[in-house]
Amino acid sequence: MKFSVGILDSLFGKKVTLEVPDENGNIIKREVSEKWLEQMQVEGKISRIHKPTVRVHMMDPLTGPQIIYWTVGEDVSQEQVNKYKDEVGDIYALTAYEAGKPTVMILSKQYWKDALTKMGIEV
């Protein structure tokens, strides 16, 4: 995919770096021109996230471990992020089912790893 709007923009346009999640939830960085970014916003093909997000290592016994993103202030409080974040700012959560109802718990990284080990899942 082309990330500029013309040859001059490609060569001389001011560049910005976007961080976007891929299909597996991994963050990838793409360098694009400011002009291209503005055009994509006008066309409604891309929008800037103004709310802070946090990467969550989620373990659900039904789906297995996965990486998801929560919006701080909506899905998780800033206090919880501050309390449980690891050295790179990620948090860890576990879904437990009681009488068929899911309950999500935020855990420390070590406690999350210990829980996965007890479930027979290598991390």
Side-chain angles (χ1 to χ4, degrees), residues 9-120:
D9 186 44
S10 176
L11 294 172
F12 305 110
K14 185 174 179 186
K15 305 291 189 247
V16 294
T17 301
L18 301 180
E19 292 184 345
V20 294
D22 67 6
E23 64 276 355
N24 297 320
N26 299 314
I27 295 294
I28 54 174
K29 294 183 179 189
R30 290 285 185 249
E31 189 172 272
V32 302
S33 75
E34 280 188 350
K35 202 175 213 181
W36 179 86
L37 180 58
E38 289 171 11
Q39 182 177 340
M40 292 298 108
Q41 289 175 318
V42 167
E43 293 175 10
K45 294 180 180 176
I46 194 170
S47 65
R48 292 181 188 231
I49 297 175
H50 296 286
K51 297 179 182 179
T53 59
V54 63
R55 188 162 82 157
V56 181
H57 299 261
M58 172 63 76
M59 176 54 198
D60 186 318
L62 300 179
T63 60
Q66 57 185 326
I67 294 177
I68 59 174
Y69 291 85
W70 284 348
T71 302
V72 178
E74 292 178 12
D75 302 313
V76 62
S77 71
Q78 184 63 57
E79 293 79 22
Q80 289 173 309
V81 172
N82 293 343
K83 182 176 179 179
Y84 292 104
K85 68 182 177 182
D86 67 5
E87 59 279 352
V88 296
D90 294 355
I91 62 173
Y92 298 79
L94 175 73
T95 302
Y97 292 88
E98 295 180 31
K101 293 183 181 182
T103 302
V104 176
M105 299 171 281
I106 300 173
L107 310 169
S108 69
K109 182 178 182 178
Q110 187 58 52
Y111 195 76
W112 185 82
K113 283 182 172 184
D114 292 345
L116 266 61
T117 301
K118 288 179 183 176
M119 290 182 213

